[in-house]
């Protein structure tokens, strides 16, 4: 069976769902951050796969990869900021349990 | 060959992703994430995106993940006992996941199959570089600004933390 | 600008400079020095006035119509008013008018003011508001001189009010004393009553003329003095002219303390004695007479009759009251009112020169008398009752002698100042009697002569009484007697004034100066009104036609061919006057000396007799004028206020309360509407918002994971719906 675009898309869907579920069921802030990373990877897989399976005459050659590249860079940046926030959070609550961050609760 | 490799990588990615989702130990979660990212990098190889695969390995697996592990180590003094989520929350999460998965798979399968990959061959890194410094020059430069901002912001947050700690005792 | 005008302006502005300086720096300058500053300023004014007088008299440019010199009239445009009245220039002018009268007044005012300033340095020493006293004196000097130099009636009125303010401030100078502050208020209100009349008169004048410059006034309305009833000058009817003249004269009634409004002047003696000398004897109260002198040509015969009646009433009444007063300053105050009555009478009977002449001589001897009384009061530690004095001549001889000179002057002793001026007035009054008799007007007109003659005797009597009780006999209060003493700074002004009282009538040439004034005024009137304009200041009332003349055999002198008719009558009047008044001073003074030789013993016996004691009580209480005014005006106002109060309570309050009740009813309805409908709507809206809020509050748990859950749930739902729809279609 020749691997087609559908395979990659289904795999990306699985990655996405796993990321979402991770975000939903983790109480650890870092775990949630990992879920976000999964979601971003799912998007990247989609981008690269679409780029790969585009018709040659579409005139689009590398845009998907470049998008993915930017996403990776931004994910790294996001991770850095998120970790800084998490450290600050930890400093204030002596924990990274997001359930404790309910000061805004009305 | 490609098909075999795809299934190996796909299995690795799917399994480790599920492991990320269900693992209760944060360190184990991080390890699973590492495998996922590596698997994705393998998939990039299969999709003729070698440079991207390398970046995925170096930046994601080597950088971001190490960063995350640092975070884990800095904050994970206590065992994560008593951090269990409530059953109904798990149920809701799984329900959402199931619905979304089925909807996505159904929509993907309804698409017309496109089995013909673009066989124009590998994209040279040279071309990627020309695109980055040509059509995508502005985003490229903006990303550098973003990285600078992130660096300053992270440093600021870290510094504020230290100052806070000094002030509190 | 001619030299006299420049000098007189300087003289006017110097006291103002002193006033401004002392207002801002008075306290810093300090007690003796502030007085020196003010005295220096007024001394400069005096010097400038003397300089102006010399310059004036030496400039004998020949001008037409026999005037000695031309009056100076400088006008400046002030307010554009457009065309008002018949003779308007379109502008309200300000300016200065200088003739011989102005110079005489300037010299007199600055001289008396200078002496009073010097006296005050001694008298007021030790007062805690010493600098303020001289501040007020500076303002007064400026106001009085400004009044005298004014060229228009409006300007005159402005300064008129300014001197009134100064008078108010200085009467109430010791405002801690209730009587002083009351007296100040009384003076102010009495003057306002007069000023209302002045304003009415001025309004009529301004409306019909539009140009109230003094020479213009004389040129336009100068024939009023010989106007017959029913005639008119332009659109100015006789009655209107009369009303206007009386209205303007009302200002003089208030300021010069004439009969109905005289009550403020005796009370004004609550002020410091130098103030009484300067303002309430010599200068300000004479402003009314000055005003009459300035408006003299525009007074109709009936207006003059009114003035003469007021004058003769005042002088008689005040002299009678003065006989029995026991407060030395009250005696002098009533004597002042009486003498002012003489001046006013002079204006009324047409003796223009006599009235103003008496003004100036009176200023000298009355200032002398007041300063002398100030010296006595100061020596006696502010004891003012004559009954507490006696024998002070031995303790304060300079004061006693100078005071005696003042008494002799006011009594009309020959060769002293009062003799000449009073005689001039009485001669005119006698001439008036002849004229009226010659025109068949009846004997009542002789009252204008007879009453002043009687009062001349009374004047000599009460003034000598005052002197005898103060300086003669045995001391009645040992304590006062023992401590009495006098200071050079206080008796030097007395000596100067005593000299002036001796020579002021004959040797200073005041009456000549005033005769010049008439000629000058006539000259300027002819300049404006043309050769046809008559001799506006010499119109001898009630001669409406100079052709009517009394029979020759009734006059004591044979008519000389070269003497004009009016002059002929006047000569006859002079003879009559000399016959009756010649020895009045001796009789009055002699009687007083006899009665008061041994203090109060004879007087007390006399006043115990039945008819005399009633009169004494009546006079002692000042003819009950205060009580009368109190019951009529104050009581009337009070009664009116009771009626009005009842009206207020019953009618106005009823209306108000009814309106209030109505409003209240409306308010209840409106309130109910508000409460149930509007509030209901508002509360309903609030309740709705609250309900929605409480609903929305549930998901706002503040928990990140819940938000994430909801986010993905909704995204999932949306995706699922889209997918389902797409799949079903395909």
């Amino acid at each position: 069976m020749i691997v087609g675009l559908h395979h990659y898309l289904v795999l990306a869907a699985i990655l996405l769902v796993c990321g979402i579920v991770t975000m939903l069921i983790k109480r650890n802030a870092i775990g949630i951050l990992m879920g976000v990373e999964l979601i971003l990877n799912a998007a990247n897989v989609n981008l690269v796969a679409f780029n790969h399976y585009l018709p040659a005459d579409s005139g689009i050659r590398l845009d998907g990869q470049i998008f993915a590249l930017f996403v990776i860079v931004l994910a790294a940046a996001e991770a850095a900021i998120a970790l800084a926030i998490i450290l600050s959070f930890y400093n204030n609550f002596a924990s990274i349990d997001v359930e404790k961050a309910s000061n805004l609760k009305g | 060959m490609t098909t075999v490799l795809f299934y190996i990588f796909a299995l690795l990615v799917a399994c480790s992703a599920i492991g990320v989702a269900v693992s209760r130990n944060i360190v184990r979660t991080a390890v699973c994430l590492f495998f996922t990212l590596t698997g994705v990098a393998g998939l990039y190889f299969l999709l003729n995106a070698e440079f991207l695969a390398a970046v995925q390995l170096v930046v994601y697996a080597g950088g971001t993940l190490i960063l995350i592990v640092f975070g884990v180590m800095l904050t994970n003094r206590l065992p994560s006992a008593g951090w269990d989520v409530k059953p109904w929350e798990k149920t809701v999460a799984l329900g959402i996941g199931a619905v979304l998965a089925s909807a996505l798979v159904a929509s993907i399968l309804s698409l017309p199959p496109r089995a013909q990959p673009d066989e124009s061959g590998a994209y040279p890194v040279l071309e990627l570089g020309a695109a980055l410094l040509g059509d995508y020059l502005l985003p490229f430069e903006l990303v550098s600004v973003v990285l600078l901002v992130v660096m300053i912001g992270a440093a600021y947050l870290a510094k504020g933390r230290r100052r806070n700690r000094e002030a509190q005792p | 600008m001619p030299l006299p005008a420049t000098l007189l302006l300087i003289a006017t502005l110097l006291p103002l400079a002193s006033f401004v300086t002392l207002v801002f720096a008075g306290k810093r300058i300090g007690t003796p020095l502030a007085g020196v500053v003010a005295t220096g300023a007024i001394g400069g004014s005096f010097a400038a006035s003397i300089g102006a007088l010399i310059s004036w008299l030496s400039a004998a440019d020949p001008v037409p119509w026999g005037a000695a010199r031309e009056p100076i009239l400088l006008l400046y445009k002030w307010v554009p008013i457009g065309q008002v009245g018949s003779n308007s220039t379109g502008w309200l002018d300000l300016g200065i008018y200088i003739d011989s009268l102005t110079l005489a007044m300037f010299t007199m005012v600055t001289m008396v003011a200078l002496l009073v300033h010097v006296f005050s340095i001694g008298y007021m020493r030790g007062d805690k508001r010493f600098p303020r006293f001289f501040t007020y004196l500076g303002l007064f000097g400026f106001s009085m001189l400004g009044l005298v130099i004014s060229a228009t009636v409006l300007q005159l009125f402005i300064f008129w009010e300014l001197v009134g303010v100064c008078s108010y401030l200085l009467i109430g100078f010791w405002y801690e004393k209730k009587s002083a502050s009351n007296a100040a208020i009384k003076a102010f209100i009495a003057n306002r009553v007069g000023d209302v009349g002045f304003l009415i008169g001025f309004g009529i004048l301004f409306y019909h003329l539009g140009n109230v410059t003094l020479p213009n006034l004389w040129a336009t309305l100068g024939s009023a003095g010989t106007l017959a009833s029913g005639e008119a000058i332009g659109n100015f009817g006789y009655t209107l002219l009369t009303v206007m003249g009386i209205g303007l004269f009302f200002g003089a009634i208030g300021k010069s303390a004439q009969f109905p409004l005289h009550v403020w002047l005796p009370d004004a003696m609550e002020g410091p004695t130098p103030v009484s000398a300067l303002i309430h004897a010599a200068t300000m109260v004479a402003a009314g007479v000055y005003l009459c002198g300035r408006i003299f040509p525009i007074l109709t015969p009936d207006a003059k009759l009114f003035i003469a009646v007021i004058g003769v009433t005042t002088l008689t009444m005040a002299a009678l009251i003065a006989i029995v007063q026991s407060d030395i300053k009250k005696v002098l105050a009533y004597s002042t009112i009486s003498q002012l009555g003489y001046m006013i009478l002079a204006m009324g009977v047409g003796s223009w020169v006599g009235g103003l002449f008496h003004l100036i001589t009176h200023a000298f001897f009355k200032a002398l008398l007041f300063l002398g009384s100030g010296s006595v009061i100061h020596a006696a530690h502010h004891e003012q009752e004559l009954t507490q004095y006696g024998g002070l001549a031995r303790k304060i001889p300079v004061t006693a002698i100078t005071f005696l000179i003042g008494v002799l002057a006011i009594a009309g002793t020959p060769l002293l100042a009062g003799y000449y001026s009073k005689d001039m007035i009485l001669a005119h009054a006698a001439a008036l009697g002849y004229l009226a008799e010659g025109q068949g007007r009846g004997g009542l007109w002789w009252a204008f002569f007879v009453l002043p003659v009687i009062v001349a005797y009374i004047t000599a009597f009460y003034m000598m009484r005052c002197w005898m009780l103060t300086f003669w006999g045995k001391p009645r209060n040992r304590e006062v007697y023992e401590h009495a003493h006098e200071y050079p700074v206080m008796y030097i002004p007395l000596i100067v004034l005593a000299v002036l009282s001796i020579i002021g009538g004959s040797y200073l040439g005041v009456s000549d100066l005033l005769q010049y004034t008439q000629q000058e005024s006539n000259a300027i009137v002819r300049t404006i009104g043309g050769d046809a304009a008559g001799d506006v200041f010499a119109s001898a009332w009630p001669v409406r036609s100079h052709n009517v003349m009394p029979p020759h055999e009734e006059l004591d002198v044979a008519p000389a061919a070269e003497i004009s008719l009016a002059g002929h009558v006047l000569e006859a009047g002079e003879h009559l006057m000399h016959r009756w008044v010649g020895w009045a001073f001796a009789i009055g003074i002699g009687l007083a000396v006899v009665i008061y030789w041994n203090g109060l013993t004879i007087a007390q016996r006399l006043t115990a007799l039945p008819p005399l004691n009633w009169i004494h009580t009546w006079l002692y209480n000042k003819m009950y004028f205060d009580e009368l005014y109190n019951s009529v005006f104050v009581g009337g106002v009070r009664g009116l206020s009771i009626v009005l109060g009842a009206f207020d309570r019953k009618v106005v309050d009823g209306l108000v309360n009814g309106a209030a009740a109505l409003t209240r009813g409306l308010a209840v309805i409106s309130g109910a509407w508000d409460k149930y409908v509007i509030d209901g709507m508002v509360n309903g809206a609030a309740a709705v918002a609250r309900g929605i809020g409480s609903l929305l509050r549930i998901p706002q748990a503040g928990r990140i994971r819940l938000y994430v859950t909801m986010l993905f749930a909704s995204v999932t739902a949306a995706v699922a719906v889209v997918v389902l729809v797409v799949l079903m279609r395909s």
Side-chain angles (χ1 to χ4, degrees):
Chain A
M1 183 180 171
I2 295 174
V3 177
L5 181 60
H6 287 186
H7 298 79
Y8 287 98
L9 292 182
V10 170
L11 185 66
I14 291 167
L15 265 177
L16 175 72
V17 171
C18 284
I20 287 172
V21 172
T22 306
M23 282 179 74
L24 290 184
I25 64 173
K26 293 283 190 234
R27 285 175 64 177
N28 193 324
I30 292 174
I32 292 170
L33 181 60
M34 291 178 189
V36 174
E37 300 296 342
L38 284 183
I39 293 167
L40 289 171
N41 269 283
N44 269 359
V45 169
N46 266 8
L47 283 170
V48 176
F50 277 125
N51 186 68
H52 182 70
Y53 284 100
L54 274 175
D57 57 354
S58 66
I60 298 169
R61 288 177 57 77
L62 284 170
D63 300 67
Q65 287 196 28
I66 286 173
F67 283 177
L69 199 59
F70 282 126
V71 169
I72 290 169
V73 173
L74 290 179
E78 171 246 79
I81 291 291
L83 275 171
I85 291 170
I86 286 166
L87 287 177
S88 183
F89 178 84
Y90 176 76
N91 181 41
N92 284 326
F93 293 93
S95 165
I96 49 171
D97 185 357
V98 293
E99 291 293 291
K100 300 239 170 103
S102 55
N103 280 0
L104 276 174
K105 189 173 175 179
Chain B
M1 180 60 194
T2 311
T3 310
V4 175
L5 278 178
F6 170 77
Y7 281 112
I8 293 169
F9 286 134
L11 204 65
L12 177 66
V13 167
C15 289
S16 57
I18 290 166
V20 169
V22 301
S23 165
R24 294 169 70 179
N25 187 330
I26 191 70
V27 181
R28 197 171 295 163
T29 311
V31 172
C32 287
L33 184 62
F34 172 76
F35 285 115
T36 311
L37 297 176
T38 312
V40 171
L43 290 178
Y44 290 162
F45 272 111
L46 293 180
L47 290 168
N48 287 339
E50 294 86 1
F51 179 72
L52 207 57
V55 170
Q56 172 86 3
L57 279 178
V58 171
V59 175
Y60 244 127
T64 307
L65 195 66
I66 296 301
L67 204 61
I68 287 171
V69 173
F70 274 5
V72 169
M73 289 177 173
L74 280 169
T75 58
N76 197 25
R77 283 194 229 153
L78 301 168
S80 53
W83 284 35
D84 290 334
V85 293
K86 295 180 183 93
W88 68 268
E89 282 177 336
K90 273 184 193 167
T91 315
V92 168
L94 289 175
I96 288 172
V99 170
L100 191 60
S102 46
L104 286 173
V105 170
S107 65
I108 289 163
L109 291 181
S110 67
L111 289 173
R114 192 189 293 270
Q116 248 68 36
D118 185 8
E119 297 299 336
S120 58
Y123 306 115
V125 178
L126 186 68
E127 209 176 322
L128 196 68
L132 270 179
L133 294 179
D135 292 345
Y136 293 94
L137 181 61
L138 184 64
F140 182 73
E141 295 295 338
L142 280 177
V143 161
S144 65
V145 175
V146 168
L147 287 175
L148 177 68
V149 171
V150 165
M151 189 178 77
I152 294 169
Y156 170 76
L157 285 169
K159 203 182 169 193
R161 174 181 64 103
R162 230 178 279 128
R163 192 186 289 157
N164 253 347
R165 211 175 250 167
E166 281 162 14
Q168 271 184 358
Chain C
M1 193 182 284
L3 182 62
T6 316
L7 286 172
L8 290 191
L9 268 186
I10 291 170
T12 310
L13 295 176
L14 268 176
L16 182 66
S18 148
F19 166 69
V20 172
T21 310
L22 291 178
V23 158
F24 290 110
K27 273 204 175 137
R28 211 167 305 148
I29 288 174
T31 287
L33 216 57
V36 174
V37 168
T39 310
I42 199 75
S45 287
F46 176 61
S49 302
I50 292 289
L53 187 64
I54 291 167
S55 146
W56 178 259
L57 290 176
S58 58
D61 299 334
V63 288
W65 306 297
R69 39 199 74 73
E70 209 166 0
I72 299 167
L73 175 66
L74 300 170
L75 287 177
Y76 303 95
K77 291 180 170 60
W78 181 29
V79 180
I81 49 167
Q83 199 64 34
V84 176
S86 60
N87 200 7
S88 174
T89 57
W91 285 83
L92 214 51
D93 292 329
L94 280 188
I96 56 176
Y97 177 73
I98 296 170
D99 57 10
S100 295
L101 175 62
T102 311
L103 282 154
M105 290 294 288
F106 253 81
T107 314
M108 183 275 282
V109 169
T110 52
M111 187 187 297
V112 174
L114 175 62
L115 295 171
V116 167
H117 273 72
V118 173
F119 184 86
S120 301
I121 293 177
Y123 188 85
M124 295 303 287
R125 186 185 290 268
D127 193 281
K128 60 180 181 242
R129 286 196 297 274
F130 183 90
R132 186 180 297 176
F133 181 79
F134 283 94
T135 312
Y136 292 159
L137 281 189
L139 181 61
F140 172 76
F142 165 69
S143 314
M144 189 67 209
L145 296 176
L147 180 117
V148 176
I149 207 173
S150 293
T152 73
V153 178
L154 179 65
Q155 208 179 339
L156 208 143
F157 183 69
I158 294 169
F159 286 108
W160 182 267
E161 292 300 325
L162 263 178
V163 291
V165 168
C166 297
S167 164
Y168 168 77
L169 291 172
L170 285 165
I171 294 170
F173 186 72
W174 287 318
Y175 54 79
E176 296 92 344
K177 277 201 302 185
K178 184 73 183 147
S179 57
S181 72
N182 278 351
I185 293 166
K186 192 175 181 180
F188 204 74
I189 290 174
N191 272 298
R192 290 296 78 69
V193 174
D195 290 341
V196 170
F198 190 110
L199 276 177
I200 292 170
F202 177 74
I204 296 170
L205 187 64
F206 183 73
Y207 180 75
H208 282 275
L209 285 190
N211 182 352
V212 289
T213 314
L214 290 173
N216 182 67
L217 223 58
W218 302 332
T220 317
L221 300 176
S223 55
T226 50
L227 205 64
S229 180
E231 290 174 6
I233 303 171
N235 54 359
F236 231 137
Y238 180 83
T239 311
L240 193 60
L241 260 174
T242 306
V243 169
M244 182 210 73
I246 291 173
L248 289 174
F249 174 65
F250 252 88
I253 291 179
K255 196 63 80 190
S256 291
Q258 293 304 294
F259 158 58
L261 300 175
H262 66 278
V263 288
W264 70 268
L265 189 55
D267 286 17
M269 296 306 139
E270 292 288 346
T273 306
V275 169
S276 307
L278 177 60
I279 298 182
H280 304 124
T283 54
M284 187 195 84
V285 287
V289 181
Y290 175 81
L291 174 73
C292 287
R294 286 304 191 191
I295 63 169
F296 184 82
I298 65 173
L299 296 172
T300 59
D302 283 345
K304 282 179 186 155
L305 174 62
F306 181 81
I307 292 172
V309 170
I310 292 289
V312 80
T313 311
T314 307
L315 70 93
T316 313
M317 169 209 74
L320 289 174
I321 295 175
I323 298 174
V324 298
Q325 290 303 308
S326 62
D327 184 320
I328 184 168
K329 284 182 77 178
K330 289 276 164 68
V331 174
L332 292 175
Y334 277 104
S335 136
T336 305
I337 296 174
S338 177
Q339 298 302 309
L340 288 168
Y342 270 108
M343 300 174 211
I344 294 291
L345 172 72
M347 291 298 161
V349 300
S351 173
W352 191 87
V353 174
L356 291 167
F357 189 21
H358 197 57
L359 190 164
I360 288 174
T361 55
H362 171 258
F364 292 144
F365 58 68
K366 191 48 68 67
L368 167 63
L369 289 170
F370 261 110
L371 290 186
S373 79
S375 182
V376 171
I377 291 165
H378 194 73
H381 294 280
H382 293 270
E383 177 57 63
Q384 299 190 4
E385 287 294 311
L386 289 171
T387 52
Q388 302 296 312
Y389 295 155
L392 288 175
R394 282 182 292 276
K395 281 286 192 176
I396 43 176
V398 179
T399 308
I401 291 165
T402 50
F403 201 95
L404 182 62
I405 292 169
V407 168
L408 293 176
I410 198 174
T413 311
L415 304 179
L416 297 186
Y419 171 77
Y420 296 95
S421 50
K422 196 184 277 184
D423 281 6
M424 198 179 280
I425 296 168
L426 293 175
H428 269 269
L432 179 74
Y434 277 126
L435 284 171
E437 200 174 282
Q439 290 178 350
R441 285 164 182 269
L444 211 54
W445 295 82
W446 283 104
F448 293 126
F449 175 70
V450 173
L451 283 174
V453 166
I454 295 170
V455 168
Y457 289 86
I458 296 173
T459 305
F461 174 74
Y462 70 70
M463 287 314 298
M464 197 59 201
R465 163 184 177 268
C466 179
W467 190 87
M468 291 295 287
L469 287 177
T470 306
F471 297 103
W472 201 253
K474 291 194 223 29
R476 285 180 290 278
N477 187 331
R478 269 286 152 196
E479 202 180 334
V480 166
Y481 178 79
E482 294 298 335
H483 290 94
H485 53 284
E486 58 188 353
Y487 303 104
V489 74
M490 287 163 72
Y491 67 61
I492 285 171
L494 295 181
I495 294 168
V496 175
L497 282 170
V499 172
L500 286 171
S501 298
I502 294 168
I503 63 170
S506 48
Y507 303 109
L508 285 186
V510 178
S511 65
D512 295 339
L513 210 55
L514 295 170
Q515 305 278 7
Y516 295 157
T517 310
Q518 286 193 322
Q519 294 168 14
E520 290 153 14
S521 305
N522 288 333
I524 201 166
V525 162
R526 284 184 187 135
T527 311
I528 295 170
D531 288 352
D535 190 358
V536 294
F537 280 93
S539 52
W541 172 79
V543 182
R544 290 191 182 123
S545 158
H546 287 271
N547 297 327
V548 181
M549 111 172 246
H552 283 200
E553 57 272 22
E554 288 186 13
L555 304 177
D556 289 338
V557 287
E562 69 271 20
I563 298 177
S564 71
L565 184 67
H568 176 64
V569 177
L570 196 58
E571 206 174 318
E574 232 166 272
H575 277 266
L576 189 68
M577 181 272 298
H578 277 304
R579 190 189 301 161
W580 287 104
V581 187
W583 293 97
F585 75 97
I587 294 167
I589 287 174
L591 199 61
V593 169
V594 168
I595 290 178
Y596 293 101
W597 186 264
N598 278 322
L600 286 164
T601 41
I602 299 174
Q604 272 163 349
R605 227 170 283 160
L606 278 176
T607 51
L609 296 173
L612 282 176
N613 59 356
W614 299 336
I615 294 170
H616 181 265
T617 312
W618 181 57
L619 290 178
Y620 189 77
N621 289 303
K622 301 151 194 172
M623 298 188 181
Y624 295 105
F625 269 112
D626 284 336
E627 286 76 7
L628 181 72
Y629 289 171
N630 209 30
S631 54
V632 172
F633 294 115
V634 179
V637 168
R638 206 170 273 168
L640 193 64
S641 70
I642 289 169
V643 172
L644 289 177
F647 182 80
D648 251 19
R649 268 196 300 281
K650 299 277 152 57
V651 182
V652 178
D653 282 11
L655 282 172
V656 172
N657 288 342
L662 190 64
T663 310
R664 198 172 154 187
L666 285 173
V668 167
I669 295 168
S670 154
W673 169 264
D674 256 18
K675 196 168 177 182
Y676 296 110
V677 181
I678 308 281
D679 282 10
M681 282 164 70
V682 173
N683 289 341
V688 169
R690 195 171 167 177
I692 293 170
S694 59
L695 277 176
L696 287 174
R697 191 176 169 275
I698 296 168
Q700 302 292 319
R703 289 154 70 189
I704 291 170
R705 287 175 56 249
L706 191 61
Y707 301 156
V708 174
T709 308
M710 286 189 293
L711 169 71
F712 286 117
S714 44
V715 168
T716 305
V719 169
V721 166
V722 170
V723 169
L724 275 176
V725 169
V726 170
L727 286 183
M728 283 188 177
R729 267 208 202 143
S730 61

